[in-house]
Amino acid sequence: MVSVLTVGYGVQAASAHDPHHKKTVKAAKAAMPAPANRAPAVPSVAQAGGTAHAAATRAALQVPSQGEDIAISAQRRAHGTMISVGSAAIARAVPGTNPLKVLAQQPGVMFQADDPQGVDTWSTQIYMHGFLQNQISTTLDDIPLGELAYRNYNGLNPIQAISSENVGRLDVSTGAGAESVASTNNLGGSIEYHSSDPKKRAGGTVAQTFGSNALFHTFVRLDSGELNRTGTKFYVSYMRNDTDKWKAGGNQFFQQVNAKFVQPIRDDSKISAFFDFSQYAQFNYQDYSLDIWKNGGNYIDNYYNGKASGYIAAIEAARGNYPSRLNGISDKADAAYYDSTSASTDFFGGLTGDFRLTDRVRWKTTFYGHGEHQHNDWTNPFYPSPSGAPMFEQVKEPSIRRFGALSSVQYEVAHNHIEGGVWYENNQFNSTMFGYSQPNVVDGVILGRPINPLGNFSNKTPFMQLFGQITNTNTFTAFVQDTYNPLPNVALHFGFKSLLNTSRAGDGYYNTAYYGPGASAAGTLTTARAFLPHISGDWHFLKHHELYFDVAENVHAYPQGQFKTVSSPFAVTQAAFDYARPSLKPESDWAYAVGYRYSDHFMDATLHAYHTNFFNRLQQITSGNIVNPISTVLNVGNITMNGVDAGLTMRLARGLSLYNSISWNHATYDDNVTAQGITYYTKGSQVVAYPRLMYKSSLSYAYRGFDASIDASYMSQRNLSYTGDAKVPSYWLANFRMGYKFGNMGKYAHSLGFMQNLQLDFNVYNLTNQFYVATMGENGFPLSGDYQSFLLGAPRQFFGSIRAEF
C-alpha cells in the first residue's frame, strides 16, 4: 500500500543521428516494405516493426526519403518498434497540423487535442503504449526539446520548434527508446524530428488554407538552390496560422520563421545550421468535468467575447450571479472564468558539424541554444483586485535559457558498428507568477479597460507577486553501443547509457497572504544512473519475414518544474519537500518487446507484444477549484503493463489499400493508495487517461494525380479517477480527405511553366460531428470521483487548401 503526502499546490499537468554508409546488405534491403502501388494515405502495419539492423545497411535503408510516407527506419542505432513518418504523410493532413497527430494513425499511439489541427498547446497530448508525453523523449536534428508538456520547463513543444511543412521525417521508437537520444525522460520511447534539407534547385513554395471558424493558414518557403560548386544552399520560411475558437470568444494565433543552411564538405561531410523563431498567442478552452458536460452541454466556455458584455458577465458571476446556462451545474463558479490564455515567444537553433574522418570513422558535434518567455493567464474569481473588482488576472511568466552540446563518434570494424557519445546541457528555468488588477463594474459600467490577456505585460505593474523561483539544472549523459552482425540478416545490439542530472532550486518568493503559511521548496535533487542497459535483436528470415526483440532499463530524472506548474518534487512547500526528500526516488522502468512482421507486394502484417514494469510513478492528485487547487505529490507505486498491437494493410488493387489495426493495453496499478487516513482501492485499476482498446481503419485510393481516403478510429472508455469510479465514454471518430496534383502547369499553358506543381486539397475533420472527450488530466486526476480536468474535441470542421511550387 502506498502512502501519500498532501500539500497545497496547483498543477498544470499533461502535461539521429544520420550516419552515412556506402555498403549494402541485400537481406535487410529486401525486408523493406515494397512501395509500389501503395495508396499513400494508408499507414502500413509493417511500420510497427524493426529493431537492430546492420550499420552497413544504412545507405540502402537510410530513413525514407522525404517523399516517403511511413516505413521501417533500418538504423544501426537499433531499437524496438522503430517507424519513420515521412513528409508526404504529414503533407496529406490539413496544412499546419501537428505531425504527432499523423503519427497517431499507428497502433498503440493516441493523440488528443481540443482543436482539429492539434496546435493548441494547452490541450495537445500524446500517449505511446501507455506512456504519457512527458515520459517520451523528443528531439529535433538531435537537439533535445525537453519534456513534451504544457509549460515545458526544459525545452519547447515541437510545433514551436519547426513548422510542420519543414519536417522531413519523424523517427519514432514506440518501445524502449534509444540510448543515443539526448534525453532525461526516456521511459516510453522516443520521437526524433528531422528538418528537411534545402533543395538543390532554387525555387519556392506558397500555400494557403481556409477552413471553419475563420481558419487562415499561410506558408511561404524560399530555397536558394546550390549557390556554388561546393553545394552551399539554404532556405527561409514563414508560417502563419490564425483561427477563431470553435466555441465562445477569442482566437488562436501562431506564427513562425524557420531557416536552414547546409554547407557540404567534400563527398560525405557537411556543416549545417538551423534557426527557429516562433510566437503563439492563444485563447484556451475551459476545462470540463463530467458534471459540466452532463448538465451544461458541449458549448460551455469562458465569458470572454471581445466585448463589454463578456466582462460584465464575468464580474457578475464572481459576485454569485450566474447566467441561466449554468443552472444545472453544481460548481458554477469554476464552470466559466473571464478568460484563459497562453502566449510564448521562442528563439531556438543549433550548429552541427558532421565529418567523415576516415572510411571507418565519423564524428558529429552539435552546439545549440534556446530562449523562451511565456505568459499564461487566467482570471481568478475567488480573490479581489485593489479596484474592488471581485476577481483579478493571475499570470504566470516563466522563462527558459538553456545551452548545450552533443558529440558522438561512430566506428566501423569487422561486423561491429560501434558508437559512443556525450551530451551536456545547462538550463535555467525562472518560474514567476503575478496578480494584475482588473477594473470594477458599477451600475453596469466598466470603470477602466480590462486587461488584454494576450497583450504586453512588461508595461504593466502587478499589485502582488504570488510566487517566484529560479532553478538551475546541469545534465550530463554518455552512451556506448554496438550492433554486431554475425550474419547479413541477423543483428544483435547492445548498449548502455549513463546519466547525471542535478537541479538546484534557490530560495524563492512565496506569498503567504495568498497561499497561507509556508515557504517555497528550495534544495537540490540529483538523478544518477551509471548503467542503463539496452539489448535488442533482429532476424530477417526467409524473404518477407522478420522477428525482433527489445529490452531496456530507463530512468526519468526528477522534473525541474516549480510551484503550480507540473508534478514535481519541487512543486511543494519547503516543509513537504524536506519531509519527502529522504524517500524520493526517480521514476524508472524495465521495458520488454517482441514482434513479428511480414511484408510483401500485396500486404503487410505485424504483431507486436510488450511488457513494462514501471517503478515509483509520480503523479499529481488534485481536488478543489482548478485556479488554485489542493494537490498531492504522490508516488502511486509500481505499474505493470502488458499490451499487444496487431495490424494488417492489404493492397486490394492498383492504388486501392485497406488498413486495419487493433491495440490492447492492460496497464494497472500494483498498489492501493492511502491518503489522509483513507484507503483508495487503485490496485488493479487501469491507468488514468489511456484506453484499454483502440481500433483504427483507413481506406485509400489513388489514381494518377488524384487520391482520397477515409479513416475511422475507436477509443474505449478511459479512467478519469485513479480508482476507476469516474470514466469518460468511448467514441468513434472519422475523417475524410481528397486531393489532386496537377503537376507542372506548363502542360496546360506555356506561360505557367514556371509553376512546378499545383495541388488542391479538401479535408473534413470529425465527419459524423461527434462530441467526445479529447485531452484528459490537464489539471491532474482525482483519486476518486469527478474532477474538472478534461477537454472536448472539436465538432465537424471543413478545410480547403491550395499549394504551388516554383
Side-chain angles (χ1 to χ4, degrees), residues 30-45:
M32 288 292 290
N37 296 331
R38 293 194 179 188
V42 178
S44 165
V45 295

Side-chain angles (χ1 to χ4, degrees), residues 7-347:
V7 294
Y9 81 108
V11 178
Q12 298 285 3
S15 60
H17 56 256
D18 187 22
H20 303 274
H21 300 283
K22 297 181 179 179
K23 303 176 183 179
T24 62
V25 178
K26 293 182 179 179
K29 191 175 182 179
M32 288 292 290
N37 296 331
R38 293 194 179 188
V42 178
S44 165
V45 295
Q47 301 140 11
T51 53
H53 289 265
T57 69
R58 181 62 176 177
L61 298 179
Q62 190 170 9
V63 260
S65 66
Q66 292 161 9
E68 279 192 63
D69 297 336
I70 308 177
I72 297 305
S73 174
Q75 303 181 45
R76 66 191 176 82
R77 188 192 64 247
H79 43 97
T81 61
M82 189 71 192
I83 63 177
S84 192
V85 179
S87 59
I90 298 170
R92 278 192 299 276
V94 175
T97 291
N98 192 325
L100 297 180
K101 186 174 181 178
V102 180
L103 173 63
Q105 297 172 1
Q106 297 306 296
V109 182
M110 181 183 72
F111 178 84
Q112 300 287 359
D114 59 15
D115 70 300
Q117 292 175 290
V119 296
D120 182 344
T121 55
W122 170 241
S123 73
T124 56
Q125 188 179 78
I126 189 167
Y127 279 82
M128 295 200 308
H129 288 160
F131 287 95
L132 182 57
Q133 56 197 20
N134 64 345
Q135 298 156 346
I136 301 167
S137 62
T138 313
T139 62
L140 170 61
D141 292 342
D142 299 343
I143 301 172
L145 299 181
E147 302 218 358
L148 226 176
Y150 182 71
R151 298 197 190 106
N152 189 323
Y153 47 84
N154 64 347
L156 70 168
N157 193 301
I159 63 170
Q160 298 167 245
I162 184 171
S163 299
S164 61
E165 291 91 343
N166 291 329
V167 175
R169 69 180 191 275
L170 302 183
D171 288 342
V172 183
S173 169
T174 60
E179 58 268 41
S180 58
V181 175
S183 167
T184 62
N185 64 313
N186 187 9
L187 289 175
S190 58
I191 303 174
E192 299 173 68
Y193 283 69
H194 297 271
S195 61
S196 61
D197 280 338
K199 297 178 181 178
K200 292 184 178 181
R201 296 182 59 182
T205 300
V206 178
Q208 183 63 57
T209 300
F210 304 92
S212 299
N213 303 302
L215 173 82
F216 192 87
H217 178 88
T218 304
F219 177 76
V220 179
R221 169 168 156 166
L222 299 177
D223 282 83
S224 69
E226 293 186 345
L227 299 174
N228 50 44
R229 291 183 178 181
T230 65
T232 305
K233 54 187 177 180
F234 68 88
Y235 69 74
V236 177
S237 72
Y238 172 76
M239 182 278 295
R240 179 182 184 272
N241 197 91
D242 193 7
T243 181
D244 292 339
K245 292 169 60 183
W246 58 265
K247 63 177 176 178
N251 70 328
Q252 297 189 321
F253 175 80
F254 186 28
Q255 65 178 350
Q256 192 167 44
V257 174
N258 287 161
K260 187 172 183 179
F261 169 86
V262 175
Q263 175 60 65
I265 301 175
R266 297 182 179 176
D267 295 332
D268 201 12
S269 298
K270 65 179 180 180
I271 295 174
S272 61
F274 180 84
F275 170 78
D276 167 76
F277 163 78
S278 70
Q279 187 176 57
Y280 74 79
Q282 303 174 339
F283 280 86
N284 302 131
Y285 294 90
Q286 177 61 301
D287 306 291
Y288 261 61
S289 64
L290 294 172
D291 171 53
I292 294 174
W293 194 18
K294 177 182 177 181
N295 298 307
N298 301 311
Y299 287 91
I300 296 295
D301 207 76
N302 291 321
Y303 296 104
Y304 179 89
N305 59 5
K307 303 175 183 178
S309 60
Y311 185 80
I312 293 171
I315 288 285
E316 288 300 311
R319 292 170 175 164
N321 303 315
Y322 302 102
S324 60
R325 62 190 172 94
L326 303 184
N327 281 348
I329 298 172
S330 60
D331 183 8
K332 298 178 182 62
D334 287 297
Y337 305 136
Y338 173 57
D339 61 37
S340 174
T341 64
S342 302
S344 178
T345 300
D346 288 85
F347 294 89

Side-chain angles (χ1 to χ4, degrees), residues 435-458:
Y436 292 85
S437 181
Q438 288 278 24
N440 201 6
V441 173
V442 178
D443 297 328
V445 178
I446 305 174
L447 304 181
R449 177 175 294 181
I451 290 174
N452 177 4
L454 292 178
N456 182 7
F457 282 85
S458 63

Side-chain angles (χ1 to χ4, degrees), residues 573-633:
T573 63
Q574 184 68 55
F577 178 84
D578 293 340
Y579 179 84
R581 185 175 179 179
S583 60
L584 284 175
K585 295 180 180 179
E587 295 179 327
S588 63
D589 70 2
W590 275 95
Y592 310 84
V594 295
Y596 164 79
R597 184 172 78 241
Y598 176 87
S599 180
D600 65 19
H601 183 74
F602 301 103
M603 64 176 288
D604 298 321
T606 187
L607 184 66
H608 174 79
Y610 57 94
H611 171 83
T612 302
N613 294 118
F614 196 150
F615 309 103
N616 305 305
R617 189 160 183 169
L618 296 177
Q619 298 278 288
Q620 83 258 351
I621 313 298
T622 52
S623 60
N625 70 72
I626 59 175
V627 170
N628 186 24
I630 300 298
S631 296
T632 300
V633 174

